Amino acid sequence: MVGTDQIAAAQAALQQQTIELPSWAFGNSGTRFKVFAQAGVPRDPFEKIADAAQVHRYTGVAPRVSLHIPWDLVDDFGALARHAEDQGVRIGMINSNVFQDDDFMLGSLAHPDPRVRAKAVDHHKQCIDVMRATGSKDLKIWLSDGLNYPGQDSIRARQDRIAEALAEIYAALDDDQHLVLEYKFFEPAFYVTDVPDWGTSLLHVMALGDRAKVVLDTGHHAPGTNIEFVVAQLLRQGRLGAFDFNSRFYADDDLMVGAADPFQLFRIMHEIVSAGAHAPDSGVNFMLDQCHNIEPKIPAQIRSVMNVQEATAKALLVDAEALAAAQRGGDVLGAHAVLMDAYDTDVRPLVAQVREQMGLEPNPVAAYAASGYAEKIVSERVGGAQAGWGA
Ligand code: LRH
Ligand code: MN
């Protein structure tokens, strides 16, 4: 039975938790088949940040917005950072984009042509300037680089090129800035992806230095991969820099985190909590990376934040002493039962109480719906070009 002390400690920890939102989740998104436009969608990064601020307003735990360059390019990043502050949030990680420029068809940092690699490195230096202008301390790199056919290029030479280019980018960072390198096992490349797994990303970041870590996107693993094992291993190395949370049934579906597999999200948060990595100063950034192709975007982000809170709450209610004792005693079913007790606990009232303790409405989805904001943006945002991936 979970004691009141553990519940109080869990609620205190949940009040400290923060989840970073992706600016691109508020724009139109889709698949290669169709991008469905939705009424009221932002037309620029200022409106994206205003929408993200709504999620923070009703959940209290989403104070940062991650930007993507060039999707969020503006003339004055200082003004954008001040706008974010006025909205009660701040700029989080800066994402580079080397997956939409024609010159990067055969790769960016791994491209055979040194001029193309130099262009890709320059783009990252531009992103570092955006970090300086917005106060962001983190550069997030995902390379779509890869091959579609055996023989197309040298697998080994591409690794050497990436290592050399990453070293140049890392050297361009200020001393208080960091970079995180994301991996993905396929798409858009269909034979080799140059940074396909946690091991490859880890090798590259360890070669760079202490201010380089790995991003784990929960949608970027081969089916059947035990993601919580990867989490435990990266935490052991002190190299888990960030999560891109989402969920999937098949590939990189970018659905709401916890929607497709809430038990997996719980198992991941159990590894996080067991290592104390849920603490604000753990250095792990909990981000969402999702696309709301058919559902309303702001409520979907609110629901996603709630899913992370609920998985975290369950993990915080694990009876760690009983679990350790059962594990020490080789009590297989006993240990499993301890974990399942926590997972099977309905934590929604506990998390609703946390919101009340933070001076918020217990049900953020209902509170947002009652605010009239959704209707306001539909009536105000007429004309102009809606934001999207621009693919
Ligand atoms: C690549 C990815 C990466 C982002 C993009 C929006 O699939 O996960 O994190 O740059 O989505
Ligand atoms: Mn991602």
PDB file of all heavy atoms in Angstrom, residues 44-47 49 67 72 74-87 89-91 130 132-135:
ATOM      1  N   ASP A  44       2.730  32.037 -38.074  1.00  0.00           N
ATOM      2  CA  ASP A  44       4.135  32.388 -37.825  1.00  0.00           C
ATOM      3  C   ASP A  44       4.574  31.906 -36.447  1.00  0.00           C
ATOM      4  O   ASP A  44       3.731  31.458 -35.657  1.00  0.00           O
ATOM      5  CB  ASP A  44       4.311  33.910 -37.938  1.00  0.00           C
ATOM      6  CG  ASP A  44       3.420  34.627 -36.922  1.00  0.00           C
ATOM      7  OD1 ASP A  44       3.440  34.228 -35.740  1.00  0.00           O
ATOM      8  OD2 ASP A  44       2.709  35.569 -37.315  1.00  0.00           O
ATOM      9  N   PRO A  45       5.896  31.955 -36.144  1.00  0.00           N
ATOM     10  CA  PRO A  45       6.372  31.451 -34.848  1.00  0.00           C
ATOM     11  C   PRO A  45       5.771  32.171 -33.649  1.00  0.00           C
ATOM     12  O   PRO A  45       5.630  31.580 -32.575  1.00  0.00           O
ATOM     13  CB  PRO A  45       7.882  31.679 -34.947  1.00  0.00           C
ATOM     14  CG  PRO A  45       8.180  31.675 -36.406  1.00  0.00           C
ATOM     15  CD  PRO A  45       7.000  32.325 -37.046  1.00  0.00           C
ATOM     16  N   PHE A  46       5.391  33.425 -33.819  1.00  0.00           N
ATOM     17  CA  PHE A  46       4.774  34.152 -32.692  1.00  0.00           C
ATOM     18  C   PHE A  46       3.448  33.501 -32.303  1.00  0.00           C
ATOM     19  O   PHE A  46       3.161  33.289 -31.118  1.00  0.00           O
ATOM     20  CB  PHE A  46       4.580  35.627 -33.063  1.00  0.00           C
ATOM     21  CG  PHE A  46       5.868  36.397 -33.188  1.00  0.00           C
ATOM     22  CD1 PHE A  46       6.583  36.393 -34.381  1.00  0.00           C
ATOM     23  CD2 PHE A  46       6.375  37.097 -32.103  1.00  0.00           C
ATOM     24  CE1 PHE A  46       7.785  37.067 -34.487  1.00  0.00           C
ATOM     25  CE2 PHE A  46       7.581  37.788 -32.200  1.00  0.00           C
ATOM     26  CZ  PHE A  46       8.291  37.777 -33.393  1.00  0.00           C
ATOM     27  N   GLU A  47       2.657  33.133 -33.318  1.00  0.00           N
ATOM     28  CA  GLU A  47       1.366  32.492 -33.043  1.00  0.00           C
ATOM     29  C   GLU A  47       1.574  31.064 -32.534  1.00  0.00           C
ATOM     30  O   GLU A  47       0.832  30.581 -31.681  1.00  0.00           O
ATOM     31  CB  GLU A  47       0.486  32.526 -34.294  1.00  0.00           C
ATOM     32  CG  GLU A  47       0.037  33.938 -34.662  1.00  0.00           C
ATOM     33  CD  GLU A  47      -0.868  34.005 -35.870  1.00  0.00           C
ATOM     34  OE1 GLU A  47      -0.958  33.003 -36.637  1.00  0.00           O
ATOM     35  OE2 GLU A  47      -1.499  35.067 -36.075  1.00  0.00           O
ATOM     36  N   ILE A  49       4.019  30.102 -30.628  1.00  0.00           N
ATOM     37  CA  ILE A  49       4.386  30.254 -29.215  1.00  0.00           C
ATOM     38  C   ILE A  49       3.165  30.618 -28.378  1.00  0.00           C
ATOM     39  O   ILE A  49       2.990  30.122 -27.260  1.00  0.00           O
ATOM     40  CB  ILE A  49       5.528  31.280 -29.067  1.00  0.00           C
ATOM     41  CG1 ILE A  49       6.835  30.666 -29.585  1.00  0.00           C
ATOM     42  CG2 ILE A  49       5.678  31.748 -27.630  1.00  0.00           C
ATOM     43  CD1 ILE A  49       8.015  31.608 -29.627  1.00  0.00           C
ATOM     44  N   LEU A  67      12.272  25.277 -30.989  1.00  0.00           N
ATOM     45  CA  LEU A  67      12.127  25.849 -32.328  1.00  0.00           C
ATOM     46  C   LEU A  67      12.832  24.984 -33.366  1.00  0.00           C
ATOM     47  O   LEU A  67      13.754  24.232 -33.023  1.00  0.00           O
ATOM     48  CB  LEU A  67      12.714  27.262 -32.365  1.00  0.00           C
ATOM     49  CG  LEU A  67      12.126  28.304 -31.409  1.00  0.00           C
ATOM     50  CD1 LEU A  67      12.800  29.661 -31.660  1.00  0.00           C
ATOM     51  CD2 LEU A  67      10.619  28.404 -31.564  1.00  0.00           C
ATOM     52  N   ASP A  72      11.008  28.124 -38.153  1.00  0.00           N
ATOM     53  CA  ASP A  72      10.704  29.216 -37.209  1.00  0.00           C
ATOM     54  C   ASP A  72      11.607  30.423 -37.412  1.00  0.00           C
ATOM     55  O   ASP A  72      11.849  31.187 -36.471  1.00  0.00           O
ATOM     56  CB  ASP A  72      10.817  28.694 -35.765  1.00  0.00           C
ATOM     57  CG  ASP A  72       9.776  27.628 -35.471  1.00  0.00           C
ATOM     58  OD1 ASP A  72       8.619  27.814 -35.887  1.00  0.00           O
ATOM     59  OD2 ASP A  72      10.133  26.585 -34.862  1.00  0.00           O
ATOM     60  N   VAL A  74      12.704  34.054 -38.046  1.00  0.00           N
ATOM     61  CA  VAL A  74      12.101  35.380 -37.948  1.00  0.00           C
ATOM     62  C   VAL A  74      13.206  36.414 -38.132  1.00  0.00           C
ATOM     63  O   VAL A  74      14.394  36.089 -38.024  1.00  0.00           O
ATOM     64  CB  VAL A  74      11.414  35.593 -36.578  1.00  0.00           C
ATOM     65  CG1 VAL A  74      10.192  34.708 -36.429  1.00  0.00           C
ATOM     66  CG2 VAL A  74      12.402  35.353 -35.433  1.00  0.00           C
ATOM     67  N   ASP A  75      12.806  37.669 -38.381  1.00  0.00           N
ATOM     68  CA  ASP A  75      13.818  38.722 -38.554  1.00  0.00           C
ATOM     69  C   ASP A  75      14.510  39.048 -37.239  1.00  0.00           C
ATOM     70  O   ASP A  75      15.705  39.346 -37.204  1.00  0.00           O
ATOM     71  CB  ASP A  75      13.142  40.000 -39.102  1.00  0.00           C
ATOM     72  CG  ASP A  75      12.493  39.718 -40.463  1.00  0.00           C
ATOM     73  OD1 ASP A  75      12.988  38.787 -41.142  1.00  0.00           O
ATOM     74  OD2 ASP A  75      11.483  40.382 -40.789  1.00  0.00           O
ATOM     75  N   ASP A  76      13.731  38.992 -36.121  1.00  0.00           N
ATOM     76  CA  ASP A  76      14.279  39.419 -34.831  1.00  0.00           C
ATOM     77  C   ASP A  76      14.033  38.344 -33.758  1.00  0.00           C
ATOM     78  O   ASP A  76      12.962  38.290 -33.155  1.00  0.00           O
ATOM     79  CB  ASP A  76      13.621  40.742 -34.414  1.00  0.00           C
ATOM     80  CG  ASP A  76      14.185  41.286 -33.104  1.00  0.00           C
ATOM     81  OD1 ASP A  76      14.875  40.517 -32.392  1.00  0.00           O
ATOM     82  OD2 ASP A  76      13.892  42.457 -32.780  1.00  0.00           O
ATOM     83  N   PHE A  77      15.031  37.485 -33.526  1.00  0.00           N
ATOM     84  CA  PHE A  77      14.860  36.405 -32.545  1.00  0.00           C
ATOM     85  C   PHE A  77      14.799  36.938 -31.123  1.00  0.00           C
ATOM     86  O   PHE A  77      14.212  36.334 -30.232  1.00  0.00           O
ATOM     87  CB  PHE A  77      15.972  35.366 -32.701  1.00  0.00           C
ATOM     88  CG  PHE A  77      15.696  34.349 -33.774  1.00  0.00           C
ATOM     89  CD1 PHE A  77      16.329  34.410 -35.005  1.00  0.00           C
ATOM     90  CD2 PHE A  77      14.761  33.349 -33.557  1.00  0.00           C
ATOM     91  CE1 PHE A  77      16.044  33.478 -35.999  1.00  0.00           C
ATOM     92  CE2 PHE A  77      14.464  32.419 -34.539  1.00  0.00           C
ATOM     93  CZ  PHE A  77      15.118  32.483 -35.777  1.00  0.00           C
ATOM     94  N   GLY A  78      15.381  38.102 -30.913  1.00  0.00           N
ATOM     95  CA  GLY A  78      15.262  38.725 -29.592  1.00  0.00           C
ATOM     96  C   GLY A  78      13.800  39.062 -29.309  1.00  0.00           C
ATOM     97  O   GLY A  78      13.286  38.802 -28.213  1.00  0.00           O
ATOM     98  N   ALA A  79      13.134  39.589 -30.324  1.00  0.00           N
ATOM     99  CA  ALA A  79      11.705  39.925 -30.173  1.00  0.00           C
ATOM    100  C   ALA A  79      10.887  38.664 -29.941  1.00  0.00           C
ATOM    101  O   ALA A  79       9.962  38.644 -29.118  1.00  0.00           O
ATOM    102  CB  ALA A  79      11.217  40.653 -31.430  1.00  0.00           C
ATOM    103  N   LEU A  80      11.264  37.557 -30.619  1.00  0.00           N
ATOM    104  CA  LEU A  80      10.531  36.301 -30.430  1.00  0.00           C
ATOM    105  C   LEU A  80      10.715  35.791 -29.001  1.00  0.00           C
ATOM    106  O   LEU A  80       9.764  35.342 -28.359  1.00  0.00           O
ATOM    107  CB  LEU A  80      11.002  35.254 -31.434  1.00  0.00           C
ATOM    108  CG  LEU A  80      10.198  33.965 -31.501  1.00  0.00           C
ATOM    109  CD1 LEU A  80       8.782  34.224 -32.034  1.00  0.00           C
ATOM    110  CD2 LEU A  80      10.896  32.911 -32.366  1.00  0.00           C
ATOM    111  N   ALA A  81      11.944  35.905 -28.494  1.00  0.00           N
ATOM    112  CA  ALA A  81      12.217  35.453 -27.116  1.00  0.00           C
ATOM    113  C   ALA A  81      11.446  36.314 -26.112  1.00  0.00           C
ATOM    114  O   ALA A  81      10.891  35.789 -25.139  1.00  0.00           O
ATOM    115  CB  ALA A  81      13.716  35.515 -26.844  1.00  0.00           C
ATOM    116  N   ARG A  82      11.378  37.621 -26.380  1.00  0.00           N
ATOM    117  CA  ARG A  82      10.608  38.506 -25.486  1.00  0.00           C
ATOM    118  C   ARG A  82       9.114  38.190 -25.565  1.00  0.00           C
ATOM    119  O   ARG A  82       8.406  38.171 -24.546  1.00  0.00           O
ATOM    120  CB  ARG A  82      10.880  39.968 -25.837  1.00  0.00           C
ATOM    121  CG  ARG A  82      12.278  40.455 -25.428  1.00  0.00           C
ATOM    122  CD  ARG A  82      12.424  41.975 -25.574  1.00  0.00           C
ATOM    123  NE  ARG A  82      12.315  42.417 -26.969  1.00  0.00           N
ATOM    124  CZ  ARG A  82      13.313  42.341 -27.850  1.00  0.00           C
ATOM    125  NH1 ARG A  82      14.486  41.802 -27.490  1.00  0.00           N
ATOM    126  NH2 ARG A  82      13.164  42.770 -29.103  1.00  0.00           N
ATOM    127  N   HIS A  83       8.638  37.896 -26.769  1.00  0.00           N
ATOM    128  CA  HIS A  83       7.228  37.501 -26.943  1.00  0.00           C
ATOM    129  C   HIS A  83       6.941  36.250 -26.127  1.00  0.00           C
ATOM    130  O   HIS A  83       5.932  36.162 -25.416  1.00  0.00           O
ATOM    131  CB  HIS A  83       6.943  37.241 -28.418  1.00  0.00           C
ATOM    132  CG  HIS A  83       5.658  36.542 -28.706  1.00  0.00           C
ATOM    133  ND1 HIS A  83       4.424  37.144 -28.557  1.00  0.00           N
ATOM    134  CD2 HIS A  83       5.400  35.265 -29.112  1.00  0.00           C
ATOM    135  CE1 HIS A  83       3.468  36.278 -28.887  1.00  0.00           C
ATOM    136  NE2 HIS A  83       4.029  35.143 -29.217  1.00  0.00           N
ATOM    137  N   ALA A  84       7.855  35.283 -26.177  1.00  0.00           N
ATOM    138  CA  ALA A  84       7.678  34.044 -25.408  1.00  0.00           C
ATOM    139  C   ALA A  84       7.573  34.376 -23.917  1.00  0.00           C
ATOM    140  O   ALA A  84       6.676  33.888 -23.226  1.00  0.00           O
ATOM    141  CB  ALA A  84       8.845  33.097 -25.674  1.00  0.00           C
ATOM    142  N   GLU A  85       8.458  35.248 -23.474  1.00  0.00           N
ATOM    143  CA  GLU A  85       8.442  35.631 -22.057  1.00  0.00           C
ATOM    144  C   GLU A  85       7.105  36.279 -21.696  1.00  0.00           C
ATOM    145  O   GLU A  85       6.493  35.930 -20.688  1.00  0.00           O
ATOM    146  CB  GLU A  85       9.589  36.608 -21.788  1.00  0.00           C
ATOM    147  CG  GLU A  85      10.397  36.293 -20.523  1.00  0.00           C
ATOM    148  CD  GLU A  85      11.687  37.113 -20.527  1.00  0.00           C
ATOM    149  OE1 GLU A  85      12.557  36.817 -21.382  1.00  0.00           O
ATOM    150  OE2 GLU A  85      11.764  38.052 -19.717  1.00  0.00           O
ATOM    151  N   ASP A  86       6.635  37.167 -22.564  1.00  0.00           N
ATOM    152  CA  ASP A  86       5.347  37.825 -22.313  1.00  0.00           C
ATOM    153  C   ASP A  86       4.216  36.802 -22.194  1.00  0.00           C
ATOM    154  O   ASP A  86       3.256  36.998 -21.475  1.00  0.00           O
ATOM    155  CB  ASP A  86       5.008  38.798 -23.468  1.00  0.00           C
ATOM    156  CG  ASP A  86       5.997  39.949 -23.542  1.00  0.00           C
ATOM    157  OD1 ASP A  86       6.746  40.136 -22.548  1.00  0.00           O
ATOM    158  OD2 ASP A  86       6.066  40.608 -24.615  1.00  0.00           O
ATOM    159  N   GLN A  87       4.399  35.684 -22.908  1.00  0.00           N
ATOM    160  CA  GLN A  87       3.378  34.627 -22.895  1.00  0.00           C
ATOM    161  C   GLN A  87       3.584  33.659 -21.727  1.00  0.00           C
ATOM    162  O   GLN A  87       2.852  32.686 -21.586  1.00  0.00           O
ATOM    163  CB  GLN A  87       3.449  33.863 -24.220  1.00  0.00           C
ATOM    164  CG  GLN A  87       3.082  34.701 -25.447  1.00  0.00           C
ATOM    165  CD  GLN A  87       1.580  34.810 -25.620  1.00  0.00           C
ATOM    166  OE1 GLN A  87       0.848  33.901 -25.263  1.00  0.00           O
ATOM    167  NE2 GLN A  87       1.127  35.926 -26.137  1.00  0.00           N
ATOM    168  N   VAL A  89       6.351  31.731 -21.250  1.00  0.00           N
ATOM    169  CA  VAL A  89       7.183  30.575 -21.596  1.00  0.00           C
ATOM    170  C   VAL A  89       8.546  31.076 -22.069  1.00  0.00           C
ATOM    171  O   VAL A  89       8.772  32.286 -22.107  1.00  0.00           O
ATOM    172  CB  VAL A  89       6.518  29.713 -22.700  1.00  0.00           C
ATOM    173  CG1 VAL A  89       5.233  29.079 -22.197  1.00  0.00           C
ATOM    174  CG2 VAL A  89       6.277  30.537 -23.962  1.00  0.00           C
ATOM    175  N   ARG A  90       9.432  30.130 -22.424  1.00  0.00           N
ATOM    176  CA  ARG A  90      10.717  30.560 -22.997  1.00  0.00           C
ATOM    177  C   ARG A  90      11.150  29.584 -24.088  1.00  0.00           C
ATOM    178  O   ARG A  90      10.567  28.506 -24.229  1.00  0.00           O
ATOM    179  CB  ARG A  90      11.783  30.695 -21.906  1.00  0.00           C
ATOM    180  CG  ARG A  90      12.175  29.426 -21.185  1.00  0.00           C
ATOM    181  CD  ARG A  90      13.217  29.718 -20.101  1.00  0.00           C
ATOM    182  NE  ARG A  90      13.536  28.554 -19.307  1.00  0.00           N
ATOM    183  CZ  ARG A  90      14.372  27.604 -19.693  1.00  0.00           C
ATOM    184  NH1 ARG A  90      14.939  27.686 -20.892  1.00  0.00           N
ATOM    185  NH2 ARG A  90      14.626  26.545 -18.923  1.00  0.00           N
ATOM    186  N   ILE A  91      12.146  30.008 -24.865  1.00  0.00           N
ATOM    187  CA  ILE A  91      12.621  29.203 -25.986  1.00  0.00           C
ATOM    188  C   ILE A  91      13.490  28.070 -25.455  1.00  0.00           C
ATOM    189  O   ILE A  91      14.375  28.291 -24.627  1.00  0.00           O
ATOM    190  CB  ILE A  91      13.416  30.077 -26.969  1.00  0.00           C
ATOM    191  CG1 ILE A  91      12.591  31.293 -27.427  1.00  0.00           C
ATOM    192  CG2 ILE A  91      13.889  29.240 -28.160  1.00  0.00           C
ATOM    193  CD1 ILE A  91      11.313  30.955 -28.175  1.00  0.00           C
ATOM    194  N   VAL A 130      21.141  31.496 -33.501  1.00  0.00           N
ATOM    195  CA  VAL A 130      19.754  31.593 -33.015  1.00  0.00           C
ATOM    196  C   VAL A 130      19.713  31.280 -31.514  1.00  0.00           C
ATOM    197  O   VAL A 130      19.002  31.923 -30.743  1.00  0.00           O
ATOM    198  CB  VAL A 130      18.832  30.628 -33.789  1.00  0.00           C
ATOM    199  CG1 VAL A 130      17.432  30.592 -33.168  1.00  0.00           C
ATOM    200  CG2 VAL A 130      18.752  31.022 -35.262  1.00  0.00           C
ATOM    201  N   ARG A 132      22.101  31.907 -29.375  1.00  0.00           N
ATOM    202  CA  ARG A 132      22.619  33.093 -28.685  1.00  0.00           C
ATOM    203  C   ARG A 132      21.536  34.181 -28.618  1.00  0.00           C
ATOM    204  O   ARG A 132      21.354  34.819 -27.601  1.00  0.00           O
ATOM    205  CB  ARG A 132      23.858  33.629 -29.402  1.00  0.00           C
ATOM    206  CG  ARG A 132      25.057  32.668 -29.353  1.00  0.00           C
ATOM    207  CD  ARG A 132      26.320  33.279 -29.917  1.00  0.00           C
ATOM    208  NE  ARG A 132      27.410  32.297 -29.892  1.00  0.00           N
ATOM    209  CZ  ARG A 132      27.911  31.712 -30.991  1.00  0.00           C
ATOM    210  NH1 ARG A 132      27.438  32.020 -32.193  1.00  0.00           N
ATOM    211  NH2 ARG A 132      28.874  30.812 -30.879  1.00  0.00           N
ATOM    212  N   ALA A 133      20.773  34.345 -29.696  1.00  0.00           N
ATOM    213  CA  ALA A 133      19.769  35.419 -29.778  1.00  0.00           C
ATOM    214  C   ALA A 133      18.538  35.131 -28.927  1.00  0.00           C
ATOM    215  O   ALA A 133      17.843  36.049 -28.506  1.00  0.00           O
ATOM    216  CB  ALA A 133      19.343  35.605 -31.232  1.00  0.00           C
ATOM    217  N   THR A 134      18.275  33.845 -28.655  1.00  0.00           N
ATOM    218  CA  THR A 134      17.063  33.487 -27.903  1.00  0.00           C
ATOM    219  C   THR A 134      17.361  33.039 -26.466  1.00  0.00           C
ATOM    220  O   THR A 134      16.432  32.795 -25.698  1.00  0.00           O
ATOM    221  CB  THR A 134      16.341  32.318 -28.612  1.00  0.00           C
ATOM    222  OG1 THR A 134      17.268  31.228 -28.703  1.00  0.00           O
ATOM    223  CG2 THR A 134      15.841  32.721 -29.978  1.00  0.00           C
ATOM    224  N   GLY A 135      18.668  32.876 -26.152  1.00  0.00           N
ATOM    225  CA  GLY A 135      19.019  32.401 -24.811  1.00  0.00           C
ATOM    226  C   GLY A 135      18.952  30.896 -24.671  1.00  0.00           C
ATOM    227  O   GLY A 135      19.096  30.338 -23.586  1.00  0.00           O
TER     228      GLY A 135
END
